Amino acid sequence: MFGVYQIPFCVEAKGITIQVVSGNSLSTYTRISPEGKIAKQLGYGKGKVIINPVEPVNLPSEVTGMLEFHFTPVAVRPGSTITLYLKFPVEIGVFVGDDENYTLIDVFSLAKAKYSLYGTPEKGFITRHVECEVFESEPSTEPLEEGVLTLSLNNSSRDWIEVSRAVFEGSTMRLFYGNCVAMTGEMEVLSRAIAVTRIHNTGSKDAMKPAIRVYPTRKSLIPEKLFFVMEYGVGD
């Protein structure tokens, strides 16, 4: 389903139907999914529609821009780096436009959103919460439902540290897609209380396509961050 489509078109997969029916000066966009049905009028008689995975922090209605992975504790020895693979829920964005000028018209997901609090009630963050398994190699996925974060975990402290949380800020996220949906990132653990996370602008495999991002289209006046500092611990 992910890809570029010329108006008019209709595509179906995994119980999802997306179509655009063109008229003389307007087109009608319709999406049917387990969430329900929506329809919108577009001021396009022709043009392109791009369907791709987007940052998994948009539903419902931008409750948070933070994504938190919670997993079985992994003990990392001092001065070492290991690679983990973590699954995350996919949100699907639909953009319409021409050339490089695209507008987001729809976001939906086959995964139900869950939320948590990272930090204290006074100064913490609401996060999109992902309870996930740790994989030693890249797991298979259903791309319309879940993606894979390849995480380089570096313990730069002088102590053995158990890590069971990784938190990322939405503006740092870069998704790529092909046969799967992927993000590639790193987490530098400075102590049991502090770590720095970032997402790289690269896919996990060659020939993966960069996804159009929601963040710049909605928050272009807010400076983008290159990293996020976890100040409330890396474990339970």
Side-chain angles (χ1 to χ4, degrees):
M1 175 169 280
F2 296 141
V4 181
Y5 299 88
Q6 294 285 344
I7 297 175
F9 74 94
C10 179
V11 61
E12 298 179 344
K14 297 286 290 185
I16 303 167
T17 300
I18 295 177
Q19 68 174 357
V20 178
V21 178
S22 60
N24 292 329
S25 58
L26 296 175
S27 297
T28 301
Y29 168 81
T30 304
R31 184 256 297 169
I32 301 172
S33 71
E35 290 185 352
K37 177 180 178 180
I38 72 164
K40 295 183 178 182
Q41 293 295 113
L42 307 178
Y44 287 83
K46 58 182 180 179
K48 296 179 182 178
V49 171
I50 292 183
I51 304 173
N52 69 206
V54 294
E55 307 92 313
V57 291
N58 297 286
L59 297 173
S61 302
E62 297 183 88
V63 172
T64 177
M66 312 298 296
L67 180 66
E68 178 180 359
F69 293 88
H70 187 203
F71 45 88
T72 303
V74 177
V76 187
R77 73 174 186 268
S80 68
T81 300
I82 62 175
T83 299
L84 308 178
Y85 298 86
L86 307 172
K87 290 184 179 182
F88 62 87
V90 164
E91 292 181 6
I92 301 169
V94 183
F95 301 79
V96 64
D98 289 296
D99 299 325
E100 300 300 320
N101 185 18
Y102 289 94
T103 300
L104 180 72
I105 61 170
D106 191 17
V107 180
F108 63 99
S109 179
L110 296 177
K112 185 176 180 180
K114 297 180 180 180
Y115 297 94
S116 185
L117 176 69
Y118 176 69
T120 66
E122 296 78 17
K123 296 183 179 181
F125 301 90
I126 295 175
T127 61
R128 172 77 185 271
H129 187 81
V130 181
E131 195 83 24
C132 60
E133 182 180 352
V134 175
F135 296 90
E136 293 186 62
S137 59
E138 187 170 344
S140 60
T141 59
E142 170 47 60
L144 293 178
E145 298 180 21
E146 55 191 6
V148 175
L149 170 67
T150 302
L151 180 63
S152 177
L153 180 56
N154 174 29
N155 180 7
S156 61
S157 77
R158 296 181 179 180
D159 303 308
W160 280 84
I161 294 181
E162 284 194 347
V163 180
S164 61
R165 295 182 186 275
V167 183
F168 296 87
E169 210 277 340
S171 67
T172 73
M173 294 179 192
R174 305 292 191 277
L175 274 71
F176 290 77
Y177 66 98
N179 294 328
C180 63
V181 177
M183 289 193 291
T184 303
E186 66 178 275
M187 177 177 178
E188 182 179 6
V189 179
L190 305 177
S191 70
R192 290 181 175 84
I194 300 176
V196 177
T197 63
R198 54 176 57 85
I199 296 294
H200 300 309
N201 191 19
T202 181
S204 61
K205 301 175 182 177
D206 293 338
M208 296 192 80
K209 299 178 180 179
I212 295 179
R213 301 167 58 215
V214 172
Y215 184 89
T217 67
R218 287 185 173 172
K219 304 177 181 178
S220 58
L221 297 180
I222 302 176
E224 293 191 44
K225 297 180 180 180
L226 298 178
F227 58 87
F228 174 72
V229 180
M230 295 175 58
E231 299 179 283
Y232 299 103
V234 300
D236 293 330

